[in-house]
Amino acid sequence: MTARLIDGKALAAQLRAALAPRIVALRERGVQPGLAVLLVGDDPASAVYVRNKIKACEDTGIRSVFEHLPAGSSQDALLRKVRALNQDARVHGILVQMPLPKPLDGQAVVEAIAFDKDVDGLHATNAGLTLMGQPHFRSCTPYGVMKMLESIGVDPAGKHAVVIGRSNMVGKPMAMLLLSANATVTLCHSGTKDLASITRQADILVAAAGRRGLVTADMVKPGAVVIDVGTNKTPEGKLAGDVDFEAVKSVAGWISPVPGGVGPMTIAMLLVNTVEAAERAARSQGR
Ligand code: NAP
């Protein structure tokens, strides 16, 4: 069997194109969706992620506000910046690029973001609402994975979904969204014993461990949907996922590549959440 490809790049382009009429409708009501992106320090990888997000905003018609604070900034300075953005009516979404330089406390900064501007879906209120099956903003990466499943016509209901990784940003919200979609969910982590025996039961396998080549062909049930969230670097400096793509594609039914899979979907869902935030703000102002 050769797996069919889940083309995240093409799907992300479709979702972004579908935002255009919503952005036009907002403009007609005097609102331009706005996203503030905060970067602290000079980490090159973070700078690339931020540039990509800002470019995506510009391409889509979303106003972006880039705030760059120096590496030695204090927690207070960062919190003041977030609070000012909370008050800025032209800013509908706020994103703080993680990880923050030490000793800054990333979660405390996320908690300072108004939950209705937390378009990354990481605020405790948004995480809690997702847990309760009533999401306000879904965390962008798991939201993107759900859209990928929808795009290939795979309904998680009744399926066994296995998620590798339990971070607050990816693994846990992923498990919650799959659970809300009526999958039977198993959440694995570094303490999981005999990972392969669990992944082999998965109808849907989401790998989000950040370990290159962790998922090998013998760990995959024939015909399974395999979605690779991992972004790792090869010794040659190329991007690679957690899944041994070449081997697994001959076992799986569907597989997402890295690059060109979950990565573009994460950015697309950030834009979707930002437009949603602007629409909610416009409605609450009676526009
Ligand atoms: P993280 O916070 O480092 O969490 C990694 C998780 O994987 C942890 O729960 C860890 O378990 C688990 N884990 C690590 N090694 C394992 C192993 N050998 N077996 C089973 N579980 C293992 O990372 P993250 O933020 O969730 O991100 C995960 C990966 O996705 C990274 O490569 C990241 O770069 C990528 N990512 C990609 C996108 C995208 O848009 N493409 C977005 C976000 C993240 P413990 O909890 O026990 O330590």
Side-chain angles (χ1 to χ4, degrees), residues 55-131:
K55 174 152 191 330
C57 284
E58 282 165 3
D59 293 349
T60 317
I62 293 173
R63 193 176 75 95
S64 63
V65 179
F66 177 43
E67 301 277 0
H68 191 181
L69 280 79
S73 298
S74 67
Q75 184 85 13
D76 265 1
L78 190 48
L79 292 176
R80 273 198 304 277
K81 185 62 78 185
V82 168
R83 288 184 192 122
L85 291 167
N86 283 343
Q87 299 303 319
D88 186 339
R90 293 166 312 158
V91 169
H92 304 100
I94 303 171
L95 176 150
V96 179
Q97 185 62 45
M98 299 291 173
L100 293 176
K102 289 194 171 90
L104 295 173
D105 178 348
Q107 193 55 39
V109 175
V110 167
E111 295 313 323
I113 298 173
F115 91 96
D116 54 358
K117 293 192 178 189
D118 167 43
V119 285
D120 240 355
L122 301 177
H123 190 287
T125 300
N126 283 316
L129 287 168
T130 298
L131 178 82

Side-chain angles (χ1 to χ4, degrees), residues 49 141-142 144-145 148 163-164 167 169-171 174 205-211 226-232 239-243 256-258 261-263 266:
Y49 290 136
T141 301
V145 172
M148 291 165 96
V163 179
I164 312 176
S167 69
M169 193 196 293
V170 186
M174 184 76 256
L205 177 60
V206 181
R211 298 281 181 274
V226 179
I227 300 200
D228 193 352
V229 177
T231 46
N232 311 290
L239 204 58
D242 288 355
V243 175
S256 74
V258 176
V262 174
T266 297

